[in-house]
Amino acid sequence: MVLLDGKKIAAEIKAEIAAEVARLLASGKRAPQLAAVLVGNDGASETYVSSKEKACREVGFLSQVWRLPAAISEADLLATVASLNADDAVDGFIVQLPLPEHIDGQKIIEAIAPAKDVDGFHPVNVGRMVIGLPAFVSATPAGIMDLLERYQIETSGKNCVVIGRSNIVGRPVANLLSQKAAPGDCTVTLCHSRTKNMKEICLQADIIIAALGIPEFLRGDMVREGAVVVDVGITRVPAANERGFRLQGDVKFGEVAPKCSYITPVPGGVGPMTIVSLMKNTLKAYLMENGECLLRHFPFSIKKICEI
Ligand code: GUN
């Protein structure tokens, strides 16, 4: 069994992005800039946004965080989005989800200019991705695809089972894995809460992507020998440590890992890949805005950055 070390691969990709930023700065250009909008003070969202700021510093990006009160009106949040759309110094931005209940999250997502939508949540980007056109692909699915690629895991013709049909992970990753591409070319089954015979379906899988957000859902008896298992779960469960919680994946690791050819750990698997994918998308937004995506071939694996 080989651990798919997302922390290590993310560090490699970050170093490649940092080198690209150094090249931009050396040629007199400005650094790319990512902005994040954080509404309210949800603990998990605060942590995610801090991780994104840290990653920006590590790769040499500029970053800014707009901290807005939970009571902000939808109109004022839309005005913030409009000002970021219009700000030439901001290459891409995200509005951290979830948003308070009085705000229509979909309306906010659709207000983001598709060219700055580095989360890849805008219907224009989702639609383009689905039909294989250049698009911003959302960070977790993109990170999973990079991880499979970097470990040279064969996907062509494989049976892939995706568990979970969220717009952020399950649906897009199922689509990417089914595309005529490498990684891709899988026969994909998308399972969800109404799926019957989940165990039998999982036992047919060469590759399982567990993205349903139920801790330890995938048990050892649901996985066949030699399967590749990617665990997207990061549920906070109470723990007797400083933070009062630990992150628990969707996979019962102790049971599943011994059967796998490859498996991601939690933490240190998909999580770091997600953040680095956001950095890639921000660099891509910058390069597209500056006309460079059309001109350059990249000397590292993010050369595909302008093609996907
Ligand atoms: N909340 C949880 N994951 C994400 C993400 O990838 N992007 C945004 N904007 N909010 C999130």
Side-chain angles (χ1 to χ4, degrees), residues 14-303:
K14 269 194 239 169
E16 293 164 1
I17 297 173
E20 180 66 11
V21 174
R23 186 197 67 79
L24 291 166
L25 294 177
S27 65
K29 305 220 168 78
R30 69 167 174 82
Q33 174 153 230
L34 173 70
V37 178
L38 181 55
V39 180
N41 36 31
D42 175 72
S45 293
E46 287 271 3
T47 308
Y48 294 146
V49 169
S50 302
S51 308
K52 289 164 189 174
E53 280 185 284
K54 180 167 169 269
C56 283
R57 282 195 299 276
E58 287 168 355
V59 299
F61 289 177
L62 301 168
S63 70
Q64 47 176 276
V65 179
W66 291 58
R67 287 172 201 281
L68 304 173
I72 190 171
S73 69
E74 191 176 277
D76 285 349
L77 185 54
L78 285 168
T80 303
V81 168
S83 74
L84 286 166
N85 283 340
D87 186 345
D88 287 341
V90 172
D91 299 291
F93 66 98
I94 64 157
V95 178
Q96 188 66 33
L97 304 175
L99 290 167
E101 282 199 352
H102 66 278
I103 293 176
D104 179 348
Q106 192 59 30
K107 200 166 167 185
I108 302 299
I109 288 170
E110 291 184 28
I112 297 172
K116 291 193 175 190
D117 170 37
V118 286
D119 256 335
F121 293 167
H122 192 288
V124 165
N125 281 312
V126 176
R128 291 178 66 91
M129 182 272 290
V130 165
I131 58 173
L133 292 174
F136 290 112
V137 175
S138 56
T140 303
I144 293 168
M145 300 303 281
D146 274 356
L147 203 51
L148 296 174
E149 184 180 36
R150 293 260 175 162
Y151 276 88
Q152 298 180 337
I153 291 171
E154 182 58 78
T155 56
S156 180
K158 302 291 183 187
N159 285 337
C160 178
V161 170
V162 177
I163 313 173
R165 56 180 159 182
S166 71
N167 288 341
I168 293 183
V169 186
R171 252 178 235 288
V173 83
N175 185 276
L176 290 168
L177 284 162
S178 73
Q179 289 194 6
K180 195 174 175 67
D185 286 324
C186 288
T187 304
V188 179
T189 306
L190 180 54
C191 296
H192 46 76
S193 54
R194 300 297 171 92
T195 297
K196 296 196 171 90
N197 307 326
M198 180 83 79
K199 180 175 164 183
E200 287 68 26
I201 294 169
C202 288
L203 282 168
Q204 300 295 315
D206 303 303
I207 301 169
I208 300 178
I209 314 286
L212 70 163
I214 300 180
E216 301 191 317
F217 175 85
L218 192 75
R219 318 279 303 213
D221 65 355
M222 300 167 79
V223 177
R224 79 176 183 204
E225 284 296 330
V228 176
V229 171
V230 175
D231 187 350
V232 186
I234 40 163
T235 306
R236 290 180 169 203
V237 296
N241 60 22
E242 219 173 60
R243 297 190 300 179
F245 68 87
R246 64 185 170 78
L247 296 179
Q248 179 70 63
D250 290 350
V251 176
K252 195 160 179 64
F253 189 88
E255 285 181 18
V256 173
K259 302 180 89 171
C260 292
S261 54
Y262 296 89
I263 186 168
T264 57
V266 175
V270 173
M273 294 301 296
T274 295
I275 291 182
V276 89
S277 295
L278 184 65
M279 301 299 116
K280 277 176 67 170
N281 275 350
T282 304
L283 178 59
K284 176 174 171 170
Y286 174 102
L287 295 172
M288 282 169 58
E289 198 52 41
N290 291 281
E292 296 217 21
C293 266
L294 302 173
L295 305 175
R296 294 191 52 240
H297 288 288
F298 293 85
F300 43 80
S301 82
I302 66 166
K303 64 180 181 294

